[in-house]
mmCIF file of all heavy atoms in Angstrom:
data_model
loop_
_atom_site.group_PDB
_atom_site.id
_atom_site.type_symbol
_atom_site.label_atom_id
_atom_site.label_comp_id
_atom_site.label_asym_id
_atom_site.label_seq_id
_atom_site.Cartn_x
_atom_site.Cartn_y
_atom_site.Cartn_z
ATOM 1 N N ASP A 116 -20.916 -18.271 46.571
ATOM 2 C CA ASP A 116 -21.813 -19.460 46.553
ATOM 3 C C ASP A 116 -23.261 -18.979 46.253
ATOM 4 O O ASP A 116 -23.877 -18.359 47.066
ATOM 5 C CB ASP A 116 -21.750 -20.253 47.892
ATOM 6 C CG ASP A 116 -22.555 -21.535 47.840
ATOM 7 O OD1 ASP A 116 -23.470 -21.605 47.029
ATOM 8 O OD2 ASP A 116 -22.266 -22.445 48.664
ATOM 9 N N ILE A 117 -23.682 -19.274 45.070
ATOM 10 C CA ILE A 117 -25.028 -18.716 44.673
ATOM 11 C C ILE A 117 -26.190 -19.529 45.282
ATOM 12 O O ILE A 117 -27.347 -19.047 45.210
ATOM 13 C CB ILE A 117 -25.184 -18.585 43.129
ATOM 14 C CG1 ILE A 117 -25.012 -19.948 42.426
ATOM 15 C CG2 ILE A 117 -24.232 -17.563 42.579
ATOM 16 C CD1 ILE A 117 -25.231 -19.866 40.982
ATOM 17 N N ASP A 118 -25.942 -20.674 45.836
ATOM 18 C CA ASP A 118 -26.950 -21.438 46.427
ATOM 19 C C ASP A 118 -27.202 -20.932 47.903
ATOM 20 O O ASP A 118 -28.428 -20.652 48.295
ATOM 21 C CB ASP A 118 -26.576 -22.877 46.562
ATOM 22 C CG ASP A 118 -26.666 -23.590 45.231
ATOM 23 O OD1 ASP A 118 -27.452 -23.213 44.390
ATOM 24 O OD2 ASP A 118 -25.887 -24.610 45.057
ATOM 25 N N THR A 119 -26.165 -20.682 48.632
ATOM 26 C CA THR A 119 -26.278 -20.105 49.995
ATOM 27 C C THR A 119 -26.191 -18.663 50.067
ATOM 28 O O THR A 119 -26.469 -18.025 51.132
ATOM 29 C CB THR A 119 -25.191 -20.747 50.904
ATOM 30 O OG1 THR A 119 -23.948 -20.265 50.422
ATOM 31 C CG2 THR A 119 -25.268 -22.256 50.871
ATOM 32 N N GLN A 120 -25.782 -17.979 48.995
ATOM 33 C CA GLN A 120 -25.644 -16.501 48.922
ATOM 34 C C GLN A 120 -24.651 -16.042 49.921
ATOM 35 O O GLN A 120 -24.800 -15.048 50.544
ATOM 36 C CB GLN A 120 -26.984 -15.852 49.103
ATOM 37 C CG GLN A 120 -28.080 -16.192 48.008
ATOM 38 C CD GLN A 120 -29.379 -15.549 48.211
ATOM 39 O OE1 GLN A 120 -29.529 -14.668 49.116
ATOM 40 N NE2 GLN A 120 -30.367 -15.881 47.396
ATOM 41 N N LYS A 121 -23.499 -16.776 49.964
ATOM 42 C CA LYS A 121 -22.477 -16.417 50.941
ATOM 43 C C LYS A 121 -21.120 -16.393 50.229
ATOM 44 O O LYS A 121 -20.949 -17.005 49.177
ATOM 45 C CB LYS A 121 -22.416 -17.464 52.046
ATOM 46 C CG LYS A 121 -23.583 -17.396 52.971
ATOM 47 C CD LYS A 121 -23.398 -18.429 54.103
ATOM 48 C CE LYS A 121 -24.603 -18.426 54.997
ATOM 49 N NZ LYS A 121 -24.485 -19.421 56.157
ATOM 50 N N GLU A 122 -20.169 -15.664 50.801
ATOM 51 C CA GLU A 122 -18.817 -15.593 50.283
ATOM 52 C C GLU A 122 -18.134 -16.903 50.668
ATOM 53 O O GLU A 122 -18.330 -17.461 51.741
ATOM 54 C CB GLU A 122 -17.990 -14.513 50.929
ATOM 55 C CG GLU A 122 -18.430 -13.108 50.530
ATOM 56 C CD GLU A 122 -17.558 -12.050 51.250
ATOM 57 O OE1 GLU A 122 -16.282 -12.314 51.427
ATOM 58 O OE2 GLU A 122 -18.023 -11.016 51.652
ATOM 59 N N ILE A 123 -17.245 -17.382 49.782
ATOM 60 C CA ILE A 123 -16.382 -18.497 50.009
ATOM 61 C C ILE A 123 -14.950 -18.073 49.977
ATOM 62 O O ILE A 123 -14.555 -17.512 48.915
ATOM 63 C CB ILE A 123 -16.616 -19.679 49.080
ATOM 64 C CG1 ILE A 123 -18.097 -20.154 49.157
ATOM 65 C CG2 ILE A 123 -15.659 -20.847 49.339
ATOM 66 C CD1 ILE A 123 -18.498 -20.775 50.481
ATOM 67 N N TRP A 124 -14.157 -18.311 50.989
ATOM 68 C CA TRP A 124 -12.728 -17.848 50.989
ATOM 69 C C TRP A 124 -11.894 -19.094 50.795
ATOM 70 O O TRP A 124 -11.993 -20.042 51.498
ATOM 71 C CB TRP A 124 -12.403 -17.227 52.341
ATOM 72 C CG TRP A 124 -13.014 -15.920 52.663
ATOM 73 C CD1 TRP A 124 -13.986 -15.256 51.884
ATOM 74 C CD2 TRP A 124 -12.782 -15.184 53.837
ATOM 75 N NE1 TRP A 124 -14.313 -14.123 52.545
ATOM 76 C CE2 TRP A 124 -13.671 -13.996 53.719
ATOM 77 C CE3 TRP A 124 -12.042 -15.324 54.954
ATOM 78 C CZ2 TRP A 124 -13.681 -13.012 54.730
ATOM 79 C CZ3 TRP A 124 -12.090 -14.380 55.994
ATOM 80 C CH2 TRP A 124 -12.911 -13.223 55.817
ATOM 81 N N PHE A 125 -11.077 -19.034 49.710
ATOM 82 C CA PHE A 125 -10.152 -20.103 49.444
ATOM 83 C C PHE A 125 -8.810 -19.684 50.010
ATOM 84 O O PHE A 125 -8.151 -18.836 49.490
ATOM 85 C CB PHE A 125 -10.017 -20.334 47.958
ATOM 86 C CG PHE A 125 -11.230 -21.025 47.308
ATOM 87 C CD1 PHE A 125 -12.210 -20.342 46.750
ATOM 88 C CD2 PHE A 125 -11.369 -22.412 47.311
ATOM 89 C CE1 PHE A 125 -13.332 -20.932 46.140
ATOM 90 C CE2 PHE A 125 -12.429 -23.049 46.727
ATOM 91 C CZ PHE A 125 -13.386 -22.286 46.172
ATOM 92 N N GLN A 126 -8.406 -20.338 51.055
ATOM 93 C CA GLN A 126 -7.135 -20.108 51.756
ATOM 94 C C GLN A 126 -6.317 -21.351 51.776
ATOM 95 O O GLN A 126 -5.211 -21.386 52.353
ATOM 96 C CB GLN A 126 -7.328 -19.507 53.149
ATOM 97 C CG GLN A 126 -7.996 -18.177 53.104
ATOM 98 C CD GLN A 126 -8.306 -17.580 54.491
ATOM 99 O OE1 GLN A 126 -8.768 -18.357 55.356
ATOM 100 N NE2 GLN A 126 -8.092 -16.269 54.650
ATOM 101 N N GLU A 127 -6.808 -22.396 51.268
ATOM 102 C CA GLU A 127 -6.034 -23.665 51.055
ATOM 103 C C GLU A 127 -6.669 -24.387 49.896
ATOM 104 O O GLU A 127 -7.746 -24.039 49.385
ATOM 105 C CB GLU A 127 -6.104 -24.522 52.317
ATOM 106 C CG GLU A 127 -7.478 -24.862 52.730
ATOM 107 C CD GLU A 127 -7.519 -25.675 54.063
ATOM 108 O OE1 GLU A 127 -6.552 -25.590 54.798
ATOM 109 O OE2 GLU A 127 -8.497 -26.421 54.189
ATOM 110 N N GLY A 128 -6.023 -25.427 49.440
ATOM 111 C CA GLY A 128 -6.450 -26.218 48.277
ATOM 112 C C GLY A 128 -5.848 -25.787 47.011
ATOM 113 O O GLY A 128 -4.841 -24.959 46.984
#
Side-chain angles (χ1 to χ4, degrees):
D116 184 338
I117 57 175
D118 288 331
T119 64
Q120 300 179 3
K121 294 181 179 179
E122 290 179 38
I123 301 295
W124 294 1
F125 287 95
Q126 296 176 319
E127 60 182 22

